[in-house]
Amino acid sequence: MTSLVIAEHDNQSLKGSTAHVVTAATAIGGDMVVLVAGASCRAVADEAAKLTGVTKVLLIDAPTLEHPSAEDLTALVLGIAKDYSHVLAPATTYGKNFLPRVAALLDVAQISDISAVISPDTFERPIYAGNAIARVQSKDSIKIITVRGTAFPSAKAGGNAPIETASAPAASNLSHFVGAELARSERPELTAARIIVSGGRGMQSGDNFKLLESLADKLGAAVGASRAAVDSGFVPNDYQVGQTGKIVAPELYIAVGISGAIQHLAGMKDSKVIVAINKDEEAPIFQIADYGLVGDLFQIVPALDAEFAKKLANR
């Protein structure tokens, strides 16, 4: 029994999501191979080889894979999938883009967003926006799996797996990479942040998010938002936390002006400590919050900001 983990990376370093998938693959048991497909990405392979539990790294380095399309990744994985009992990828945009294609062409059922490994053929995954957990058993010869990163700890460095190279299949030319417009920020990325400060419809406008940004900067936190805030145009889509946004589990999650719709709770309820600030004491967010502040956020947040500013000044 050997698992294949498809590494998510930017050709320079591994994304944190991959280390969580490695932990899930370790729980399945057997050998584990990490596939690193990209261009000039030897450093990524070296990083993957150091993760505990990895038996081997398969490096496929080709110019055509600098920005691999879903079609090309699918063809690549299909070419080697028969040698593995399990194929795993993160349940991120990256994994969701190509792995369902692999499952369809292999004529097997994908098991999406697993949160626990019960045995090599049995897994748990959240359903109904996280309100229930389904236990799924697969009898397929090859299990195609996406992994919810927040449900598994990150694999630590400590291994020294060998790196093997292989050639890439010919490009499909069905689609072409044109360009990318990436948002740059000094703050941590949402899914990797230890602290997140999120705002909802109660923020009333995009300009008011400056209050949260000031607080986040003092805490070294990322800034998130509910779908209601995103749909209202207060902040960009990449801020969205929730079932249809990013799934997060930071050490501290501060929810400001967020009522706590079930879709939002599904994306952040695994946070270690949850602090809710809302003027409505009946807001659903208080049902899962460890600490709640009932009051006007436009008074509470500036007061918190001022207190943290004093703490920083006295260091």
Side-chain angles (χ1 to χ4, degrees), residues 22-146:
V22 166
T23 300
T26 300
I28 291 171
D31 293 333
M32 184 200 319
V33 175
V34 175
L35 171 63
V36 176
S40 302
C41 57
R42 177 73 190 206
V44 179
D46 290 338
E47 190 177 349
K50 294 176 183 176
L51 293 177
T52 301
V54 176
T55 308
K56 182 176 72 175
V57 174
L58 181 61
L59 172 61
I60 301 181
D61 195 325
T64 55
L65 295 175
E66 182 176 5
H67 302 286
S69 66
E71 293 86 355
D72 289 346
L73 269 178
T74 298
L76 191 158
V77 175
L78 283 173
I80 60 176
K82 65 181 183 300
D83 298 327
Y84 301 94
S85 58
H86 300 74
V87 178
L88 303 94
T92 59
T93 303
Y94 174 80
K96 292 175 182 178
N97 194 30
F98 75 91
L99 209 56
R101 300 167 187 255
V102 174
L105 292 169
L106 288 175
D107 195 25
V108 300
Q110 177 172 302
I111 306 171
S112 301
D113 210 23
I114 69 165
S115 56
V117 175
I118 305 304
S119 70
D121 69 352
T122 306
F123 312 90
E124 289 185 347
R125 60 180 301 269
I127 58 175
Y128 302 130
N131 282 306
I133 300 297
R135 182 166 290 191
V136 181
Q137 184 176 37
S138 171
K139 295 184 178 180
D140 291 325
S141 57
I142 302 175
K143 279 75 171 171
I144 304 297
I145 299 166
T146 59

Side-chain angles (χ1 to χ4, degrees), residues 132-184:
I133 300 297
R135 182 166 290 191
V136 181
Q137 184 176 37
S138 171
K139 295 184 178 180
D140 291 325
S141 57
I142 302 175
K143 279 75 171 171
I144 304 297
I145 299 166
T146 59
V147 176
R148 174 173 285 209
T150 57
F152 296 89
S154 178
K156 304 299 182 185
N160 187 26
I163 300 174
E164 180 182 305
T165 60
S167 57
S172 65
N173 293 320
L174 292 173
S175 61
H176 300 276
F177 176 79
V178 175
E181 296 182 11
L182 303 177
R184 303 292 182 184

Side-chain angles (χ1 to χ4, degrees), residues 9 24 45 130 183 199 228 243 252:
H9 62 90
Q243 185 179 20
L252 173 62

